[in-house]
Amino acid sequence: MQQIINFLIRYKIFLLYLFLLFVSFIFTFQSHSYHQSKFLNSANYFSGNIYEFFDNTTSYFGLREENESLLQENERLRHQLYNKKTNLSDIPAPIDSLEKNYSLVRGRVIKNSFSDLRNYITINKGRKDSIEQDMGVITAKGILGIIENTSEGFATVQSILNEKSNINAKIKNSNHFGSLVWDTKNYNTVQLVDIPRLVPLTIGDTIVTGAMSSIFPENIPIGTIKKFDLDKSKSFYYIDVSLFNDMTNLKNVYIIKNLHRQEILELQEETLSNDQ
Amino acid sequence: MINSSFFINILRFTLLILVQVLVFNRLNFFGYINPMVYVLFIYWYPIKENRTSFILTSFLLGFFIDIFSDTLALNAAATVSIAYLRPAIMRFVFGVNYEFQSFKLNSTTKAQQFTFLALLIVIHHVIYFTLEIFSIANILLIIQKTLTIGLASIILCLLFSSLFSTKKE
């Protein structure tokens, strides 16, 4: 007994070091395989508020650009609205809640990163704005990521520039879909995989989100084809997509909630369990 | 006496975290170079202090950086490792001298200070990027990131340490 205690005292520094290293490994590896750590993320009261304070002071410098991009978005939306086939007055007055599929919340990016392998963005909307895990996040130009963790007032977004990211996407005006992943090399380019080789492709084609996802609505722009090649199996394409979004300069975002997501997931679960 | 060094350390701790997450994590020089200047805390920490509290503080430092930058616990693991290895590195760089009471970092030569800082940063970065990338297949990427970002960190840390040098003329 005496010897054990002596041993512990003599190596207490080393044991402390091993313990702390072990703790950090647990935090690191549990989230390599699954979602980002529940505790270690910047969507907490403390870091969220510091980031928001900093953002409030620096955001004035970009107001003119921000204004310009919002005006452009408005212009585009108005263009769509006025050129619709139906008249404005034909739109049924109050939209029934049963007919609504998606609801939107606006938010602001308070922390952005794009130089790591697993990039996360922090936004200033959280549980009190009814933001939950697995909601989609987009900007006026295109897709951005998926909500990963939330706190009372903040949320972290798993950016599409994250090696764990995997989003259903397709070629515009066709129904050939694949998965959107990131090879961690370049923050302007993501990769679309699993598109069969029989699909006709041209450089410059637009890639949009697919209908298979219960997170994003269909046809949200992602980017254009930069380069494509067959993958190792020679039966699927490996497509480099250059993004519409400038991932280094993000400010205003929209968070999309699919109001039927719960129902879709339950139905899929039920179908799977019936199969077995 | 204890209080003054205690407060200086708390101040350093807070300022280094804020500078790291609000300034250097957003630098993105060449698209990916974000120097890690908070390693200076390990470099500056008093030599005679209790080792247990030193390791615990270093762990907390890395932990806070992790919380801010959404990097799991990579910074915590790397920082606690260099904090643990610091005495061994010091013995390697300064010889047995550093165990004497009169030893001061300022009284050593510039080359020794540089080697000490560079070793701390290189070990820190190797551990950090190995854990971040975590695949032997990408060993070139690990080496490339360690070298480029390590170089940037060394340059900035040297600038900072000469800027805030405590040496009185």
Side-chain angles (χ1 to χ4, degrees), chain A residues 95-109:
Chain A
I95 300 175
D96 195 338
S97 69
L98 281 175
E99 287 175 19
K100 262 170 80 177
N101 285 328
Y102 298 98
S103 71
L104 259 88
V105 183
R106 66 173 197 284
R108 221 174 65 226
V109 172

Side-chain angles (χ1 to χ4, degrees), chain A residues 4-252:
Chain A
I4 294 176
I5 292 170
N6 277 341
F7 174 83
L8 286 181
I9 290 172
R10 188 175 320 150
Y11 292 101
K12 71 168 196 270
I13 305 270
F14 182 62
L15 291 172
L16 178 70
Y17 167 62
L18 278 190
F19 170 72
L20 292 177
L21 199 64
F22 182 67
V23 170
S24 34
F25 277 5
I26 288 179
F27 278 129
T28 306
F29 291 115
Q30 71 172 15
S31 32
H32 264 250
S33 50
Y34 187 53
H35 275 314
Q36 186 193 2
S37 167
K38 283 273 170 294
F39 320 100
L40 283 182
N41 64 69
S42 59
N44 57 53
Y45 180 78
F46 178 65
S47 56
N49 276 306
I50 290 182
Y51 274 133
E52 179 152 49
F53 174 77
F54 189 73
D55 184 71
N56 281 339
T57 31
T58 53
S59 61
Y60 287 100
F61 299 112
L63 278 186
R64 184 185 292 270
E65 276 169 55
E66 212 39 59
N67 228 332
E68 189 60 33
S69 80
L70 289 176
L71 274 175
Q72 274 172 13
E73 189 193 6
N74 270 342
E75 184 189 6
R76 207 185 66 230
L77 293 176
R78 272 177 200 280
H79 186 78
Q80 279 177 13
L81 189 67
Y82 297 147
N83 290 312
K84 264 173 83 119
K85 296 212 173 56
T86 51
N87 227 328
L88 275 183
S89 54
D90 291 348
I91 296 171
I95 300 175
D96 195 338
S97 69
L98 281 175
E99 287 175 19
K100 262 170 80 177
N101 285 328
Y102 298 98
S103 71
L104 259 88
V105 183
R106 66 173 197 284
R108 221 174 65 226
V109 172
I110 55 172
K111 177 238 160 190
N112 182 18
S113 96
F114 50 87
S115 59
D116 293 338
L117 271 69
R118 288 172 288 275
N119 292 300
Y120 293 94
I121 296 162
T122 312
I123 56 173
N124 69 341
K125 287 284 147 88
R127 275 200 292 275
K128 70 171 189 289
D129 311 283
S130 65
I131 306 294
E132 288 159 25
Q133 197 178 55
D134 290 336
M135 288 184 176
V137 182
I138 60 166
T139 69
K141 289 187 195 141
I143 181 179
L144 194 63
I146 296 171
I147 299 276
E148 174 120 358
N149 274 307
T150 52
S151 72
E152 216 37 52
F154 304 95
T156 52
V157 181
Q158 187 193 69
S159 160
I160 40 174
L161 302 183
N162 188 314
E163 59 174 8
K164 290 194 285 177
S165 164
N166 192 339
I167 290 168
N168 182 263
K170 65 171 195 178
I171 297 155
K172 197 178 180 181
N173 297 331
S174 84
N175 280 319
H176 298 287
F177 62 85
S179 301
L180 196 72
V181 294
W182 188 47
D183 68 355
T184 73
K185 300 244 161 58
N186 185 337
Y187 56 78
N188 283 323
T189 322
V190 292
Q191 281 68 36
L192 181 63
V193 295
D194 294 342
I195 297 274
R197 69 181 291 180
L198 56 94
V199 180
L201 292 178
T202 348
I203 287 178
D205 278 358
T206 309
I207 307 292
V208 294
T209 53
M212 303 269 290
S213 151
S214 59
I215 295 173
F216 290 103
E218 206 178 341
N219 290 323
I220 291 185
I222 296 172
T224 53
I225 297 184
K226 192 172 162 192
K227 183 175 112 203
F228 58 88
D229 227 333
L230 287 174
D231 68 1
K232 282 189 197 112
S233 70
K234 297 282 172 215
S235 47
F236 293 100
Y237 281 120
Y238 186 84
I239 306 170
D240 277 349
V241 181
S242 72
L243 293 168
F244 287 134
N245 256 331
D246 177 4
M247 296 300 284
T248 61
N249 183 12
L250 301 166
K251 204 76 250 179
N252 291 311

Side-chain angles (χ1 to χ4, degrees), chain B residues 124-141:
Chain B
H124 177 276
H125 284 38
V126 166
I127 296 172
Y128 180 88
F129 291 114
T130 313
L131 286 176
E132 188 198 19
I133 296 164
F134 205 67
S135 85
I136 299 293
N138 283 325
I139 192 146
L140 276 177
L141 185 64

